[in-house]
Amino acid sequence: MNTLEIRRPSPHVAEVWLDRPDVRNAFNDGVIAELTAAFAGFAQDTELRAVVLGGRGKAFCAGADLNWMRAMADYSWDQNKADAQALADMLWTIYRCPVPVIGRIHGDCYAGGVGLAAVCDVLVASDNVGFCLSEAKLGLLPATIGPYVIRALGEPAARRYFTTAERFSAAEAHRLGFVHELCTAEQLDERVAALVAAISANGPAAVKACKRLVQDLAGTPITPALREDTARRIADIRSSPEGKEGVSSFLQRRAPAWT
C-alpha cells in the first residue's frame, strides 16, 4: 500500500488510515484502487469484527487530488466514465463490507471525503470538523457519492448542501444525524475504541447480520414478503450455533464463547 496505512491491533480489528497528509488525504486513482482492494480483503476475513477508517495529518479527506483533477480535464467521456465507475465501485465495496466500519473524522471532510464518511456505519467526529459538498462550486455534482450521502445525511439536508455547496459544522452534521457521536479532538480515539469494544463484545455473525438487515430494510415497504423474510432471518440465526450459544450463555449467566 502506497496511499494507506493498514494496522491490525488485534485479529478482530483492522485500522485503515488514509496516509497522504501532504495533500490532506485527497483522493486519486491510487487511493481508490487501494481502498477497494483493502475492503475486498476484509470481506473475506472471517476473524474480523470491526474496521476503523481514519486519516493521518490534519484532515480526514479533502476530496479529489488537484493533480488528478488536472489530468481528468483532458479525459474523454469514456475515460471519465471508467474513472467514476472505479470510485463508485470503491464506495460500494466499503458500504457492503460485512463488518461495521467506524469512521474517525477530524479536520476537513470535503466532497468525496463526505462520501467516504457516508459509507461508514458509525461516525465519530471531533467538534472542529468542517464538512462541505463542494462539487457545485466547480461546476460538478456529487453523483457517485450521492446515494450514500442522501441516505446518511437525509434528503432535505442533501437538497440544501448539494446545491449551495456551503460548509457546515460538525455540530450541524450531528444534529442532522450524519455524525453519530461528537467529541473533542482529544477524546476521538477514546470514543472510537469504546465503539470497537462494544461491537467486538457482540456475536460476530449477529453483528454482520444486523448490518445487512439495516441495509436491506431501510426504506423498504412492509409487505408480506418482507415480513416472511424477516421471520426467516431470525429463525436462521436462532438455529445457528452462535444464536444457541448466545441464548444459553444469557440464561446461564456466563460470558458467551465469542468473548
Side-chain angles (χ1 to χ4, degrees), residues 52-88:
V52 177
L53 178 61
R56 296 299 190 197
K58 296 181 179 180
F60 173 69
C61 179
D65 180 271
L66 292 178
N67 290 325
W68 187 43
M69 292 177 68
R70 290 188 188 101
M72 284 190 288
D74 296 323
Y75 279 8
S76 66
W77 187 94
D78 288 335
Q79 288 174 310
N80 270 297
K81 173 60 168 59
D83 187 80
Q85 189 65 56
L87 176 58

mmCIF file of all heavy atoms in Angstrom, residues 52-88:
data_model
loop_
_atom_site.group_PDB
_atom_site.id
_atom_site.type_symbol
_atom_site.label_atom_id
_atom_site.label_comp_id
_atom_site.label_asym_id
_atom_site.label_seq_id
_atom_site.Cartn_x
_atom_site.Cartn_y
_atom_site.Cartn_z
ATOM 1 N N VAL A 52 -11.806 0.389 11.543
ATOM 2 C CA VAL A 52 -11.758 1.825 11.814
ATOM 3 C C VAL A 52 -11.131 2.506 10.605
ATOM 4 O O VAL A 52 -10.076 2.085 10.135
ATOM 5 C CB VAL A 52 -10.935 2.139 13.076
ATOM 6 C CG1 VAL A 52 -10.832 3.651 13.293
ATOM 7 C CG2 VAL A 52 -11.556 1.463 14.299
ATOM 8 N N LEU A 53 -11.787 3.526 10.089
ATOM 9 C CA LEU A 53 -11.291 4.276 8.936
ATOM 10 C C LEU A 53 -11.003 5.711 9.362
ATOM 11 O O LEU A 53 -11.909 6.417 9.831
ATOM 12 C CB LEU A 53 -12.324 4.252 7.814
ATOM 13 C CG LEU A 53 -11.983 5.026 6.537
ATOM 14 C CD1 LEU A 53 -10.708 4.477 5.887
ATOM 15 C CD2 LEU A 53 -13.150 4.976 5.559
ATOM 16 N N GLY A 54 -9.751 6.138 9.225
ATOM 17 C CA GLY A 54 -9.356 7.489 9.609
ATOM 18 C C GLY A 54 -8.333 8.054 8.655
ATOM 19 O O GLY A 54 -8.010 7.452 7.626
ATOM 20 N N GLY A 55 -7.811 9.212 8.999
ATOM 21 C CA GLY A 55 -6.831 9.872 8.150
ATOM 22 C C GLY A 55 -5.666 10.398 8.956
ATOM 23 O O GLY A 55 -5.849 10.893 10.075
ATOM 24 N N ARG A 56 -4.480 10.304 8.405
ATOM 25 C CA ARG A 56 -3.289 10.869 9.033
ATOM 26 C C ARG A 56 -3.195 12.363 8.726
ATOM 27 O O ARG A 56 -3.735 12.844 7.726
ATOM 28 C CB ARG A 56 -2.033 10.160 8.521
ATOM 29 C CG ARG A 56 -1.957 8.676 8.873
ATOM 30 C CD ARG A 56 -1.942 8.449 10.362
ATOM 31 N NE ARG A 56 -1.628 7.065 10.724
ATOM 32 C CZ ARG A 56 -1.879 6.549 11.917
ATOM 33 N NH1 ARG A 56 -2.451 7.281 12.864
ATOM 34 N NH2 ARG A 56 -1.557 5.291 12.190
ATOM 35 N N GLY A 57 -2.503 13.082 9.574
ATOM 36 C CA GLY A 57 -2.290 14.502 9.336
ATOM 37 C C GLY A 57 -3.422 15.364 9.854
ATOM 38 O O GLY A 57 -4.104 15.013 10.819
ATOM 39 N N LYS A 58 -3.653 16.487 9.183
ATOM 40 C CA LYS A 58 -4.571 17.500 9.695
ATOM 41 C C LYS A 58 -6.017 17.336 9.234
ATOM 42 O O LYS A 58 -6.893 18.061 9.707
ATOM 43 C CB LYS A 58 -4.079 18.891 9.281
ATOM 44 C CG LYS A 58 -2.739 19.265 9.895
ATOM 45 C CD LYS A 58 -2.316 20.666 9.472
ATOM 46 C CE LYS A 58 -0.987 21.054 10.117
ATOM 47 N NZ LYS A 58 -0.549 22.418 9.719
ATOM 48 N N ALA A 59 -6.273 16.419 8.291
ATOM 49 C CA ALA A 59 -7.625 16.290 7.751
ATOM 50 C C ALA A 59 -7.972 14.836 7.510
ATOM 51 O O ALA A 59 -7.093 14.009 7.246
ATOM 52 C CB ALA A 59 -7.741 17.069 6.446
ATOM 53 N N PHE A 60 -9.271 14.536 7.575
ATOM 54 C CA PHE A 60 -9.736 13.197 7.209
ATOM 55 C C PHE A 60 -9.589 12.996 5.706
ATOM 56 O O PHE A 60 -8.900 12.088 5.252
ATOM 57 C CB PHE A 60 -11.188 13.024 7.639
ATOM 58 C CG PHE A 60 -11.808 11.736 7.149
ATOM 59 C CD1 PHE A 60 -11.399 10.523 7.659
ATOM 60 C CD2 PHE A 60 -12.794 11.750 6.164
ATOM 61 C CE1 PHE A 60 -11.954 9.326 7.192
ATOM 62 C CE2 PHE A 60 -13.360 10.570 5.705
ATOM 63 C CZ PHE A 60 -12.940 9.360 6.224
ATOM 64 N N CYS A 61 -10.234 13.838 4.915
ATOM 65 C CA CYS A 61 -10.119 13.733 3.458
ATOM 66 C C CYS A 61 -10.668 15.008 2.834
ATOM 67 O O CYS A 61 -11.809 15.392 3.080
ATOM 68 C CB CYS A 61 -10.886 12.522 2.938
ATOM 69 S SG CYS A 61 -10.819 12.343 1.140
ATOM 70 N N ALA A 62 -9.854 15.643 1.988
ATOM 71 C CA ALA A 62 -10.222 16.920 1.377
ATOM 72 C C ALA A 62 -10.833 16.766 -0.008
ATOM 73 O O ALA A 62 -10.913 17.741 -0.757
ATOM 74 C CB ALA A 62 -8.996 17.829 1.305
ATOM 75 N N GLY A 63 -11.268 15.564 -0.372
ATOM 76 C CA GLY A 63 -11.894 15.390 -1.683
ATOM 77 C C GLY A 63 -10.908 14.903 -2.722
ATOM 78 O O GLY A 63 -10.036 14.082 -2.437
ATOM 79 N N ALA A 64 -11.038 15.395 -3.925
ATOM 80 C CA ALA A 64 -10.210 14.935 -5.042
ATOM 81 C C ALA A 64 -8.855 15.628 -5.063
ATOM 82 O O ALA A 64 -8.747 16.823 -4.778
ATOM 83 C CB ALA A 64 -10.925 15.174 -6.365
ATOM 84 N N ASP A 65 -7.836 14.885 -5.409
ATOM 85 C CA ASP A 65 -6.474 15.403 -5.531
ATOM 86 C C ASP A 65 -6.398 16.363 -6.724
ATOM 87 O O ASP A 65 -6.903 16.083 -7.816
ATOM 88 C CB ASP A 65 -5.521 14.223 -5.729
ATOM 89 C CG ASP A 65 -4.088 14.663 -5.860
ATOM 90 O OD1 ASP A 65 -3.665 14.940 -6.997
ATOM 91 O OD2 ASP A 65 -3.389 14.738 -4.842
ATOM 92 N N LEU A 66 -5.738 17.526 -6.538
ATOM 93 C CA LEU A 66 -5.682 18.540 -7.589
ATOM 94 C C LEU A 66 -4.959 18.038 -8.837
ATOM 95 O O LEU A 66 -5.380 18.322 -9.965
ATOM 96 C CB LEU A 66 -5.002 19.809 -7.052
ATOM 97 C CG LEU A 66 -5.772 20.585 -5.974
ATOM 98 C CD1 LEU A 66 -4.962 21.776 -5.501
ATOM 99 C CD2 LEU A 66 -7.128 21.034 -6.501
ATOM 100 N N ASN A 67 -3.874 17.313 -8.658
ATOM 101 C CA ASN A 67 -3.152 16.794 -9.826
ATOM 102 C C ASN A 67 -4.002 15.794 -10.595
ATOM 103 O O ASN A 67 -3.962 15.741 -11.829
ATOM 104 C CB ASN A 67 -1.839 16.145 -9.385
ATOM 105 C CG ASN A 67 -0.833 17.164 -8.896
ATOM 106 O OD1 ASN A 67 -0.767 18.277 -9.410
ATOM 107 N ND2 ASN A 67 -0.062 16.801 -7.883
ATOM 108 N N TRP A 68 -4.758 15.004 -9.877
ATOM 109 C CA TRP A 68 -5.675 14.053 -10.510
ATOM 110 C C TRP A 68 -6.757 14.795 -11.285
ATOM 111 O O TRP A 68 -7.113 14.429 -12.413
ATOM 112 C CB TRP A 68 -6.278 13.174 -9.421
ATOM 113 C CG TRP A 68 -7.110 12.031 -9.885
ATOM 114 C CD1 TRP A 68 -6.853 11.165 -10.909
ATOM 115 C CD2 TRP A 68 -8.344 11.609 -9.301
ATOM 116 N NE1 TRP A 68 -7.846 10.226 -10.996
ATOM 117 C CE2 TRP A 68 -8.768 10.465 -10.017
ATOM 118 C CE3 TRP A 68 -9.108 12.054 -8.224
ATOM 119 C CZ2 TRP A 68 -9.947 9.785 -9.713
ATOM 120 C CZ3 TRP A 68 -10.278 11.376 -7.915
ATOM 121 C CH2 TRP A 68 -10.675 10.252 -8.656
ATOM 122 N N MET A 69 -7.265 15.888 -10.706
ATOM 123 C CA MET A 69 -8.285 16.693 -11.387
ATOM 124 C C MET A 69 -7.726 17.344 -12.651
ATOM 125 O O MET A 69 -8.413 17.435 -13.672
ATOM 126 C CB MET A 69 -8.839 17.759 -10.430
ATOM 127 C CG MET A 69 -9.660 17.192 -9.288
ATOM 128 S SD MET A 69 -10.220 18.461 -8.126
ATOM 129 C CE MET A 69 -11.373 19.360 -9.153
ATOM 130 N N ARG A 70 -6.467 17.772 -12.591
ATOM 131 C CA ARG A 70 -5.851 18.354 -13.792
ATOM 132 C C ARG A 70 -5.757 17.323 -14.911
ATOM 133 O O ARG A 70 -6.002 17.629 -16.079
ATOM 134 C CB ARG A 70 -4.462 18.887 -13.449
ATOM 135 C CG ARG A 70 -4.458 20.126 -12.572
ATOM 136 C CD ARG A 70 -3.058 20.714 -12.438
ATOM 137 N NE ARG A 70 -3.039 21.788 -11.458
ATOM 138 C CZ ARG A 70 -2.610 21.660 -10.209
ATOM 139 N NH1 ARG A 70 -2.154 20.478 -9.778
ATOM 140 N NH2 ARG A 70 -2.627 22.682 -9.388
ATOM 141 N N ALA A 71 -5.402 16.108 -14.541
ATOM 142 C CA ALA A 71 -5.311 15.039 -15.546
ATOM 143 C C ALA A 71 -6.684 14.737 -16.132
ATOM 144 O O ALA A 71 -6.819 14.508 -17.346
ATOM 145 C CB ALA A 71 -4.703 13.788 -14.920
ATOM 146 N N MET A 72 -7.713 14.741 -15.300
ATOM 147 C CA MET A 72 -9.063 14.427 -15.768
ATOM 148 C C MET A 72 -9.602 15.478 -16.719
ATOM 149 O O MET A 72 -10.528 15.204 -17.496
ATOM 150 C CB MET A 72 -10.005 14.274 -14.575
ATOM 151 C CG MET A 72 -9.836 12.964 -13.824
ATOM 152 S SD MET A 72 -11.148 12.697 -12.608
ATOM 153 C CE MET A 72 -10.712 13.906 -11.364
ATOM 154 N N ALA A 73 -9.069 16.695 -16.664
ATOM 155 C CA ALA A 73 -9.548 17.752 -17.551
ATOM 156 C C ALA A 73 -9.388 17.378 -19.015
ATOM 157 O O ALA A 73 -10.125 17.881 -19.883
ATOM 158 C CB ALA A 73 -8.804 19.050 -17.248
ATOM 159 N N ASP A 74 -8.444 16.505 -19.326
ATOM 160 C CA ASP A 74 -8.205 16.086 -20.714
ATOM 161 C C ASP A 74 -8.780 14.707 -21.025
ATOM 162 O O ASP A 74 -8.536 14.162 -22.106
ATOM 163 C CB ASP A 74 -6.694 16.075 -20.995
ATOM 164 C CG ASP A 74 -6.076 17.472 -20.884
ATOM 165 O OD1 ASP A 74 -6.760 18.433 -21.292
ATOM 166 O OD2 ASP A 74 -4.949 17.590 -20.380
ATOM 167 N N TYR A 75 -9.548 14.131 -20.104
ATOM 168 C CA TYR A 75 -10.116 12.802 -20.320
ATOM 169 C C TYR A 75 -11.247 12.865 -21.350
ATOM 170 O O TYR A 75 -11.997 13.850 -21.432
ATOM 171 C CB TYR A 75 -10.697 12.239 -19.016
ATOM 172 C CG TYR A 75 -9.698 11.622 -18.066
ATOM 173 C CD1 TYR A 75 -8.331 11.715 -18.272
ATOM 174 C CD2 TYR A 75 -10.140 10.942 -16.927
ATOM 175 C CE1 TYR A 75 -7.434 11.152 -17.376
ATOM 176 C CE2 TYR A 75 -9.256 10.367 -16.033
ATOM 177 C CZ TYR A 75 -7.896 10.481 -16.269
ATOM 178 O OH TYR A 75 -7.014 9.927 -15.382
ATOM 179 N N SER A 76 -11.409 11.783 -22.088
ATOM 180 C CA SER A 76 -12.586 11.611 -22.923
ATOM 181 C C SER A 76 -13.771 11.215 -22.040
ATOM 182 O O SER A 76 -13.610 10.917 -20.850
ATOM 183 C CB SER A 76 -12.336 10.507 -23.956
ATOM 184 O OG SER A 76 -12.193 9.250 -23.294
ATOM 185 N N TRP A 77 -14.984 11.160 -22.655
ATOM 186 C CA TRP A 77 -16.148 10.728 -21.890
ATOM 187 C C TRP A 77 -15.944 9.315 -21.366
ATOM 188 O O TRP A 77 -16.254 9.021 -20.205
ATOM 189 C CB TRP A 77 -17.410 10.772 -22.763
ATOM 190 C CG TRP A 77 -18.664 10.499 -21.984
ATOM 191 C CD1 TRP A 77 -19.495 11.413 -21.408
ATOM 192 C CD2 TRP A 77 -19.212 9.201 -21.661
ATOM 193 N NE1 TRP A 77 -20.525 10.783 -20.747
ATOM 194 C CE2 TRP A 77 -20.384 9.410 -20.887
ATOM 195 C CE3 TRP A 77 -18.833 7.890 -21.944
ATOM 196 C CZ2 TRP A 77 -21.170 8.370 -20.409
ATOM 197 C CZ3 TRP A 77 -19.616 6.842 -21.459
ATOM 198 C CH2 TRP A 77 -20.768 7.084 -20.709
ATOM 199 N N ASP A 78 -15.426 8.437 -22.192
ATOM 200 C CA ASP A 78 -15.214 7.049 -21.776
ATOM 201 C C ASP A 78 -14.216 6.951 -20.628
ATOM 202 O O ASP A 78 -14.402 6.152 -19.699
ATOM 203 C CB ASP A 78 -14.714 6.208 -22.955
ATOM 204 C CG ASP A 78 -15.814 5.945 -23.982
ATOM 205 O OD1 ASP A 78 -17.001 5.977 -23.602
ATOM 206 O OD2 ASP A 78 -15.472 5.719 -25.153
ATOM 207 N N GLN A 79 -13.171 7.766 -20.667
ATOM 208 C CA GLN A 79 -12.195 7.770 -19.577
ATOM 209 C C GLN A 79 -12.821 8.305 -18.296
ATOM 210 O O GLN A 79 -12.580 7.781 -17.205
ATOM 211 C CB GLN A 79 -10.975 8.597 -19.964
ATOM 212 C CG GLN A 79 -10.093 7.954 -21.009
ATOM 213 C CD GLN A 79 -8.982 8.889 -21.470
ATOM 214 O OE1 GLN A 79 -9.237 10.049 -21.833
ATOM 215 N NE2 GLN A 79 -7.743 8.393 -21.444
ATOM 216 N N ASN A 80 -13.633 9.349 -18.422
ATOM 217 C CA ASN A 80 -14.324 9.892 -17.253
ATOM 218 C C ASN A 80 -15.284 8.870 -16.656
ATOM 219 O O ASN A 80 -15.379 8.725 -15.435
ATOM 220 C CB ASN A 80 -15.092 11.167 -17.627
ATOM 221 C CG ASN A 80 -14.263 12.419 -17.462
ATOM 222 O OD1 ASN A 80 -13.846 12.748 -16.361
ATOM 223 N ND2 ASN A 80 -14.012 13.112 -18.557
ATOM 224 N N LYS A 81 -15.996 8.138 -17.518
ATOM 225 C CA LYS A 81 -16.928 7.121 -17.038
ATOM 226 C C LYS A 81 -16.182 6.010 -16.301
ATOM 227 O O LYS A 81 -16.602 5.557 -15.222
ATOM 228 C CB LYS A 81 -17.703 6.541 -18.222
ATOM 229 C CG LYS A 81 -18.602 5.340 -17.886
ATOM 230 C CD LYS A 81 -19.661 5.673 -16.852
ATOM 231 C CE LYS A 81 -20.714 4.568 -16.738
ATOM 232 N NZ LYS A 81 -20.155 3.260 -16.376
ATOM 233 N N ALA A 82 -15.065 5.546 -16.861
ATOM 234 C CA ALA A 82 -14.294 4.478 -16.209
ATOM 235 C C ALA A 82 -13.750 4.945 -14.867
ATOM 236 O O ALA A 82 -13.755 4.200 -13.878
ATOM 237 C CB ALA A 82 -13.158 4.031 -17.123
ATOM 238 N N ASP A 83 -13.287 6.184 -14.828
ATOM 239 C CA ASP A 83 -12.745 6.743 -13.596
ATOM 240 C C ASP A 83 -13.827 6.850 -12.524
ATOM 241 O O ASP A 83 -13.628 6.469 -11.370
ATOM 242 C CB ASP A 83 -12.157 8.118 -13.911
ATOM 243 C CG ASP A 83 -11.412 8.718 -12.759
ATOM 244 O OD1 ASP A 83 -10.256 8.333 -12.556
ATOM 245 O OD2 ASP A 83 -11.981 9.569 -12.055
ATOM 246 N N ALA A 84 -14.994 7.356 -12.911
ATOM 247 C CA ALA A 84 -16.105 7.487 -11.965
ATOM 248 C C ALA A 84 -16.609 6.122 -11.519
ATOM 249 O O ALA A 84 -17.001 5.948 -10.361
ATOM 250 C CB ALA A 84 -17.237 8.293 -12.600
ATOM 251 N N GLN A 85 -16.584 5.150 -12.421
ATOM 252 C CA GLN A 85 -17.036 3.806 -12.067
ATOM 253 C C GLN A 85 -16.137 3.190 -11.009
ATOM 254 O O GLN A 85 -16.598 2.479 -10.105
ATOM 255 C CB GLN A 85 -17.075 2.913 -13.298
ATOM 256 C CG GLN A 85 -17.734 1.561 -13.061
ATOM 257 C CD GLN A 85 -19.215 1.699 -12.738
ATOM 258 O OE1 GLN A 85 -19.968 2.288 -13.505
ATOM 259 N NE2 GLN A 85 -19.626 1.152 -11.595
ATOM 260 N N ALA A 86 -14.837 3.459 -11.104
ATOM 261 C CA ALA A 86 -13.899 2.937 -10.101
ATOM 262 C C ALA A 86 -14.222 3.513 -8.724
ATOM 263 O O ALA A 86 -14.188 2.796 -7.710
ATOM 264 C CB ALA A 86 -12.466 3.266 -10.495
ATOM 265 N N LEU A 87 -14.547 4.796 -8.666
ATOM 266 C CA LEU A 87 -14.924 5.414 -7.393
ATOM 267 C C LEU A 87 -16.239 4.826 -6.873
ATOM 268 O O LEU A 87 -16.362 4.509 -5.684
ATOM 269 C CB LEU A 87 -15.055 6.926 -7.559
ATOM 270 C CG LEU A 87 -15.529 7.714 -6.333
ATOM 271 C CD1 LEU A 87 -14.612 7.498 -5.145
ATOM 272 C CD2 LEU A 87 -15.645 9.201 -6.656
ATOM 273 N N ALA A 88 -17.208 4.658 -7.778
ATOM 274 C CA ALA A 88 -18.485 4.079 -7.374
ATOM 275 C C ALA A 88 -18.299 2.657 -6.834
ATOM 276 O O ALA A 88 -18.916 2.270 -5.835
ATOM 277 C CB ALA A 88 -19.456 4.079 -8.552
#
